[in-house]
Amino acid sequence: LDGSTENRIDGGTAFRLHDTYGFPIELTTEIAGERGATVDRDGFDAAMEEQRRRSRLLSFDTDDFQAAEIIRDVLDKAGTTEFVGYELETSPARILALVREGEMVTSAAEGEEVELFVDRTPFYAEGGGQVGDTGEIVTETGTVKVVDTQAPVTGLHGHKAVVLRGSVAVGQDAHAEIDHDRRERVSKSHTGTHVLHASLRDVIGQHARQNGSLVEAGRLRFDFSHHAALDPDELAEVERLTNERIIENDRVRTIEATKEEAEKMGAVAFFGDKYGEQVRVVSAGGYSLEFCGGTHTVSTGQVGPLLISTESSIGANIRRFEALTGTDAYLYIVELRNTVRSGAGLLKSTPTELPGAIGSLLGRVKDQEKRIADFEQRHRSEAAAALAEAAEAIGESNVVAATVPDATPDGLRMLALQLRDRLGSSVVALGTNRDGKASLVVLTSKDLVQKGLSAAEIVATGATIVRGGGGKDAELSMAGGPGGDDVAEAVEAMGKKARELLA
C-alpha cells in the first residue's frame, strides 16, 4: 500500500493473502485501515465461498466440471460413506471407487497415490478444526497407507493414500484401521479445546467466542474474539482453571439431537459452522456444552496436562492461543525442568534458588560492565587528548585523521565526539580494523557543516577503499566494509579530502 495511489484492496487480493500466505482477513483489514485503505469484503467473501464450493466438489487438481463429474461418478458407484469412527477404530469395508490423478480407475499398484472410497469407515474426515485420520486399509492383495481423510461432499469420505505393498482394486473386501495413537492424541487436543474454551469464557467473559481452531495430535490452535491481550494473571488463571477441570476427570458425554433441541439445552455453535437438522452435542462437566462433530476422550482426565505456549493477536479483536496437550505437554515440562536444573547447576544453585542466583549474577555483570565502561571512557579520554595534540590546523579549523587499534564502531564514534568537543571547529576522520572488518567514522563540527562541508562526502572516499558503503549525514557519517587491511589507506584518503575541502 505504501506509495500507491490505490486506496482499496480488491477481494481477490485479500483472498490470496489469506489462502496463500495465511493472512487472516481481520489482519489485512487492520493493516489497510492503518494506511487509509479499505478492503473489498464482499469480494473476499465471494472468493471464500467459491473455494468452499470447490472443496465440496473434490480436492483433485482438475477444473470444476471434471471434479463435479468425478464426484457424481463416485456417488453413483459408492453412495455416501457410513462413518463408524465414533465407536470403532477398525472396521471391515469394501472398496467401491478409486481415483488416481483425477480419473476413476479400477485398481492401483505399489507406489501409486490414490484416493479410496469405501462403504463404511472408521476414518474421521477433516472438519470442525480437527485434522483427518491416518492409518491403513488392507486387502488380500495389498496394503495402502492413508495419509489424510477428507469429505469432498457431506457424507462422502475420501481416503488419500499411497499403495505400500501389492495392489488394490475396486470391489475388494478390506480391513480399515486408523492410527490409534494419533487419533488418541488428536482427541485429547479436541476435548482440551472445549475445556480451554469454557475456562477462557469464565475468566475474561462470555463475549470471548471461538473464531476458529486447529486440532492436531498433541497440540491445538484456538482463535477467539477479545479486544486486548490477556495480562499474565488472566493467562495464568485460564491455564490453571483448565487443568483443574481436566484433573477433576469429568465424564465427556455425547448426544444426538435436533438442532432446535440442542439450542434449547444451551449448546453453543461457533465461527459460522452450518448444521443440519440432526446435530451432535458434546458436554464436559457442568461448564461446557457445544455443537461438535469431532472425536473426544471419554473423560477430561485423559487430556493430560494442557499448557498454553503462546497468546497473540491475529487481527483486530481476534486473539490466538497455541497449546500442547497430553504427552507432548508433559515432555515440554520435562524439557523445561531439565533446562532449569542445568542452569541451576551452572550457577551452583538449586532450581528453587535459581531466580535469586540469576539476579545476583546480573548484578555482578552490571557492576563489571560499569567498570569496563569507566575504563574505556578513561582510555578514550587519554586517546582523545593525544590525538588532539597532533591535530593539524588549517585556517581556523583542525583536522584529525588517524587509525585506532581494534576499536568497536560505537567506541570509534564516541572517540570522535570527544575529539570534536576538545577541538571545536574541526573534521575528525578515524578508522579501525577489527577482526578483518573495517569501520570508519567522520565527524564534522556544526560550523563547518553550515559552510557546506559534509561528513558523508568525506567518509565516502574511505568507504570505496574498504569496499563498503557509508552514511549520508552531513555532520556524522559512518562506513564499514570487508577491507580491514585497507583502513590506513582509507583514513589517509579521508584526511586528504578533508584538507581539500577546508583549503
Side-chain angles (χ1 to χ4, degrees):
L1 291 171
D2 291 341
S4 172
T5 58
E6 298 291 335
N7 62 355
R8 184 174 175 82
I9 298 175
D10 65 85
T13 299
F15 175 74
R16 284 193 297 277
L17 289 170
H18 164 81
D19 189 54
T20 305
Y21 302 104
F23 275 74
I25 183 61
E26 294 83 5
L27 181 59
T28 301
T29 302
E30 183 178 354
I31 294 173
E34 291 173 353
R35 289 162 172 75
T38 60
V39 176
D40 176 13
R41 186 59 186 262
D42 289 341
F44 172 83
D45 290 341
M48 280 292 292
E49 182 56 35
E50 174 64 14
Q51 184 199 51
R52 294 189 187 102
R53 186 181 70 81
R54 289 172 180 265
S55 296
R56 285 194 296 268
L57 291 174
L58 206 54
S59 55
F60 301 135
D61 293 328
T62 61
D63 58 49
D64 286 353
F65 178 78
Q66 186 178 0
E69 287 299 305
I70 292 171
I71 284 294
R72 196 171 292 114
D73 288 345
V74 170
L75 287 172
D76 287 344
K77 292 180 181 296
T80 56
T81 312
E82 179 188 358
F83 176 60
V84 297
Y86 291 135
E87 300 84 18
L88 304 173
E89 295 187 347
T90 67
S91 171
R94 172 166 289 189
I95 300 176
L96 300 178
L98 295 170
V99 178
R100 186 178 69 243
E101 297 179 353
E103 298 287 343
M104 297 278 287
V105 295
T106 58
S107 64
E110 187 170 319
E112 291 181 337
E113 294 181 0
V114 66
E115 188 150 8
L116 290 85
F117 296 87
V118 297
D119 59 345
R120 66 199 308 261
T121 183
F123 286 79
Y124 178 84
E126 180 177 330
Q130 179 174 326
V131 295
D133 276 329
T134 62
E136 287 189 344
I137 296 177
V138 181
T139 71
E140 285 185 348
T141 59
T143 299
V144 299
K145 177 182 180 182
V146 178
V147 297
D148 192 15
T149 308
Q150 297 285 328
V153 294
T154 302
L156 182 65
H157 288 218
H159 306 77
K160 296 181 180 295
V162 59
V163 182
L164 289 182
R165 291 179 293 277
S167 63
V168 294
V170 172
Q172 283 188 309
D173 289 331
H175 175 78
E177 183 171 354
I178 67 169
D179 182 331
H180 166 78
D181 291 340
R182 181 175 180 274
R183 161 72 82 84
E184 184 178 30
R185 292 170 64 208
V186 171
S187 297
K188 290 176 186 291
S189 293
H190 206 151
T191 301
T193 300
H194 284 219
V195 180
L196 175 63
H197 186 195
S199 299
L200 173 70
R201 287 161 64 86
D202 286 344
V203 172
I204 67 173
Q206 297 301 301
H207 68 278
R209 299 175 65 86
Q210 182 175 335
N211 202 21
S213 65
L214 176 65
V215 179
E216 296 183 310
R219 62 181 294 270
L220 64 90
R221 190 179 70 207
F222 182 81
D223 301 339
F224 59 96
S225 56
H226 190 52
H227 57 276
L230 275 68
D231 64 43
D233 289 342
E234 289 174 326
L235 193 59
E237 179 59 15
V238 170
E239 187 176 79
R240 184 202 66 78
L241 182 57
T242 299
N243 282 281
E244 181 178 280
R245 285 169 166 171
I246 288 171
I247 293 168
E248 287 171 355
N249 199 28
D250 290 312
R251 185 79 175 176
V252 178
R253 293 182 170 84
T254 302
I255 64 169
E256 291 190 2
T258 65
K259 184 181 178 188
E260 184 179 356
E261 289 170 341
E263 289 172 343
K264 286 180 179 178
M265 287 189 291
V268 288
F270 297 97
F271 61 99
D273 279 0
K274 295 181 179 179
Y275 303 92
E277 272 309 302
Q278 285 294 123
V279 297
R280 198 163 178 267
V281 178
V282 176
S283 67
Y287 46 83
S288 176
L289 187 66
E290 297 189 22
F291 286 64
C292 184
T295 64
H296 288 272
T297 58
V298 174
S299 63
T300 60
Q302 291 176 288
V303 173
L306 187 150
L307 299 180
I308 300 173
S309 54
T310 63
E311 189 270 346
S312 60
S313 170
I314 61 167
N317 298 321
I318 302 294
R319 309 297 300 177
R320 170 173 290 174
F321 281 149
E322 294 195 36
L324 301 173
T325 58
T327 302
D328 291 73
Y330 168 72
L331 292 176
Y332 180 69
I333 294 171
V334 170
E335 182 182 359
L336 289 180
R337 181 179 64 190
N338 290 340
T339 299
V340 170
R341 285 175 174 172
S342 177
L346 291 173
L347 295 178
K348 296 180 173 55
S349 178
T350 65
T352 55
E353 296 170 342
L354 184 58
I358 292 174
S360 177
L361 176 62
L362 290 175
R364 294 196 300 271
V365 169
K366 187 175 181 180
D367 289 342
Q368 290 298 324
E369 287 176 342
K370 185 178 184 305
R371 290 184 182 183
I372 292 171
D374 291 344
F375 172 79
E376 290 177 343
Q377 176 67 17
R378 288 194 300 272
H379 178 72
R380 279 194 298 271
S381 295
E382 293 170 358
L387 290 171
E389 286 292 327
E392 178 183 353
I394 298 180
E396 297 181 354
S397 301
N398 294 282
V399 173
V400 172
T403 58
V404 181
D406 197 35
T408 64
D410 194 52
L412 207 64
R413 179 183 62 82
M414 288 190 288
L415 177 57
L417 288 169
Q418 286 193 359
L419 273 167
R420 184 194 60 183
D421 292 343
R422 287 175 179 270
L423 295 172
S425 179
S426 58
V427 176
V428 178
L430 304 176
T432 188
N433 176 1
R434 187 178 177 88
D435 298 326
K437 296 181 180 179
S439 293
L440 308 174
V441 62
V442 173
L443 184 62
T444 306
S445 57
K446 293 183 183 296
D447 64 309
L448 296 180
V449 172
Q450 292 172 353
K451 292 178 180 179
L453 269 74
S454 171
E457 182 181 357
I458 298 170
V459 83
T461 61
T464 301
I465 294 171
V466 298
R467 305 185 300 282
K472 303 298 182 183
D473 189 81
E475 184 176 350
L476 174 62
S477 280
M478 302 182 72
D485 293 337
D486 301 317
V487 165
E489 181 184 350
V491 169
E492 183 179 346
M494 292 190 298
K496 180 179 180 182
K497 185 67 175 180
R499 296 183 192 95
E500 290 174 356
L501 293 174
L502 284 171

